[in-house]
Amino acid sequence: MEPSKLANRTISLYEAIDIAYRSNPLTRQSWFLTQSAAADVGSRRSAYYPVLEADASGVRQKQSSLGGSVTVLSTTYTPSLSLNWLLLDLGGRGADVEEAKRRLYAADFTHNAAMNDIALGVAQAYYSYQGARALLVAQEASLKQAQENYAAAEERHRAGVATIADVLQARTVLSQQKLAYDQVSGQIQTFRGQLATALGVPVNLPVDAADLPADVHEDASVASVDRLIAEAERSRPDLAAARARAQAAHAHVASARSAGLPSLSASALGARNYYEFVGETVPSTTNYSMGLFLRVPLFTGFKTLYDTRSAEAQASAADAGADSYSQQVIFQVWSSYFGVQTAAQQVRASKDLLESAKESAEVARGRYREGVGSILDLLTAESALANALAQDVTSRAGFLLAVAQLAHDTGSADTALVPVPPRKEAR
């Protein structure tokens, strides 16, 4: 989608991820690296084909003898065609091709990992922006209530049923709510800029996100942590890339070892010489040669031995690196899984807290209007309600962020692991 078509549009998370895949420069970078790796495979395979080369030369020659009394000018034209073909190398070319193929697989998996990272980055920016906007709505409601409380305190003071202390306390709370509202309002633009950057579009492009959902299905079931770990070991593209690089390192061992093995090659050369002397043309001559060449390395100063040992050590290091990365992936899934469980509990707790805070605030307002409650009780209840509203928004956005992190750590794309609400039984 063209960036200009996003202006003043509200996009879903799916649209945002699709836009990022098309527009984010990191996607293009990893894709071109994949194309480079694919071309390298073709380059390594070229060693199986003969090398055919055409050459041509022209020589103008002057020869003098007898003190310069006899001078001969001649011109020679020599087109030639040569062929060289490695017929047998005992596995060197095959190892080079296999190494290049494994590096291509690693590049492909790295490209997939880059897309997985982009999806996570977009989801994080999207949910953070949604959360900030929802928090602003909550702060606006709290600010409106603080204004009503301040007006009520002033009215009661004018009626002589409240002290100036009540008015001052209400005004203090109103000022605090204004400050909180202004802070969230300023943060929204920062989160919107983060979303635009994650999409790969200009930060000043007026693009908007949907509202934070009121129900995030925190009670929906998620697969067991053991199953998610197994899924991550099977599907995480960055882990697959690390394993592919280790396999490429093992293929390089065979390539290094083959440098000390015999090889058989063929060579052929054909050329025709054309001669021209001053005032005379000599018939051309044709020359050719063909041969087989056996190369048997006898001693290279132990170069092949040490190159092979170096390649083996690098392969072992790559294996260890892949194993270490696998452990990191397992920990990430483990941590993300329990992060989702904790976030779900926080959503449920914040719902209960919000309901209690609403009831408490309603009772405090009624008591204050009837003149049997103090301003302190009212402001305390309203403060608790404001905190509960903010906590409810934060917990819902945090749950969505936790689910997105778990999906990323499992390697299941952007929203594949988003919990689905359980089906209701038909009555």
Side-chain angles (χ1 to χ4, degrees):
M1 181 180 296
E2 295 295 331
S4 58
K5 296 181 180 179
L6 295 176
N8 301 314
R9 275 200 59 202
T10 298
I11 60 175
S12 66
L13 177 60
Y14 293 99
E15 289 178 311
I17 292 175
D18 181 66
I19 293 166
Y21 283 161
R22 299 169 185 269
S23 304
N24 197 301
L26 293 178
T27 305
R28 298 197 304 272
Q29 180 187 36
S30 61
W31 170 251
F32 287 125
L33 290 175
T34 300
Q35 298 303 299
S36 175
D40 188 54
V41 174
S43 176
R44 299 293 180 91
R45 283 176 175 163
S46 66
Y48 283 100
Y49 298 96
V51 177
L52 189 63
E53 182 177 335
D55 298 292
S57 63
V59 178
R60 179 72 170 179
Q61 189 175 30
K62 175 182 178 182
Q63 295 179 336
S64 300
S65 59
L66 300 177
S69 59
V70 178
T71 300
V72 177
L73 292 175
S74 64
T75 303
T76 306
Y77 304 98
T78 308
S80 63
L81 188 66
S82 61
L83 181 143
N84 292 282
W85 195 354
L86 179 60
L87 302 177
L88 181 66
D89 66 345
L90 300 183
R93 292 174 295 181
D96 289 340
V97 171
E98 183 64 19
E99 179 184 0
K101 287 172 61 178
R102 295 300 173 180
R103 295 195 180 280
L104 172 60
Y105 298 157
D108 284 337
F109 287 127
T110 300
H111 175 63
N112 293 340
M115 297 180 69
N116 201 23
D117 292 342
I118 288 173
L120 174 62
V122 171
Q124 289 175 333
Y126 193 90
Y127 291 140
S128 297
Y129 181 45
Q130 280 186 324
R133 288 175 50 196
L135 184 57
L136 183 65
V137 174
Q139 293 292 351
E140 185 177 5
S142 299
L143 177 59
K144 182 179 179 180
Q145 189 59 54
Q147 291 171 340
E148 292 177 357
N149 293 337
Y150 176 61
E154 283 191 319
E155 182 65 26
R156 286 171 60 85
H157 179 256
R158 283 193 297 267
V161 294
T163 65
I164 188 63
D166 289 2
V167 178
L168 294 177
Q169 287 177 332
R171 188 167 64 184
T172 299
V173 172
L174 176 59
S175 299
Q176 291 174 343
Q177 289 296 336
K178 285 182 178 179
L179 178 60
Y181 178 85
D182 292 339
Q183 288 177 338
V184 175
S185 179
Q187 290 174 351
I188 284 181
Q189 297 305 317
T190 300
F191 285 122
R192 195 197 62 78
Q194 290 178 354
L195 176 59
T197 301
L199 296 179
V201 299
V203 71
N204 58 349
L205 187 69
V207 58
D208 212 344
D211 293 333
L212 182 69
D215 188 2
V216 293
H217 308 306
E218 72 281 356
D219 291 325
S221 60
V222 179
S224 67
V225 66
D226 292 335
R227 178 180 173 185
L228 293 176
I229 289 174
E231 177 69 18
E233 290 187 310
R234 182 174 61 252
S235 303
R236 274 285 288 267
D238 47 353
L239 178 57
R243 290 170 175 167
R245 285 190 290 267
Q247 293 170 348
H250 281 284
H252 184 68
V253 174
S255 177
R257 187 182 292 116
S258 69
L261 301 178
S263 62
L264 180 66
S265 59
S267 177
L269 173 66
R272 171 167 291 185
N273 298 324
Y274 296 90
Y275 305 96
E276 288 186 3
F277 294 93
V278 177
E280 182 179 1
T281 299
V282 179
S284 61
T285 61
T286 300
N287 303 309
Y288 66 89
S289 65
M290 293 181 293
L292 293 175
F293 299 91
L294 177 66
R295 173 182 172 273
V296 183
L298 299 178
F299 182 71
T300 60
F302 305 106
K303 175 176 171 50
T304 303
L305 174 63
Y306 289 117
D307 286 348
T308 303
R309 288 181 178 178
S310 175
E312 290 173 344
Q314 292 177 4
S316 298
D319 285 336
D323 292 339
S324 176
Y325 204 89
S326 177
Q327 293 178 353
Q328 294 178 27
V329 167
I330 292 174
F331 171 74
Q332 289 172 357
V333 174
W334 179 273
S335 178
S336 299
Y337 175 82
F338 288 103
V340 170
Q341 303 303 316
T342 301
Q345 293 174 358
Q346 290 177 341
V347 171
R348 289 189 287 268
S350 65
K351 285 182 178 179
D352 295 338
L353 176 62
L354 181 58
E355 290 300 322
S356 299
K358 284 181 178 179
E359 293 178 4
S360 178
E362 186 63 30
V363 170
R365 291 189 203 110
R367 288 173 55 84
Y368 187 71
R369 284 194 299 265
E370 294 172 1
V372 295
S374 68
I375 188 65
L376 182 59
D377 293 337
L378 174 61
L379 296 181
T380 300
E382 292 292 354
S383 177
L385 176 58
N387 292 333
L389 286 170
Q391 180 61 41
D392 177 64
V393 171
T394 303
S395 64
R396 282 185 283 140
F399 177 77
L400 294 176
L401 286 169
V403 170
Q405 186 68 56
L406 178 59
H408 170 271
D409 292 343
T410 311
S412 300
D414 56 304
T415 54
L417 289 181
V418 174
V420 178
R423 294 181 179 178
K424 295 182 179 180
E425 296 294 335
R427 294 185 179 179

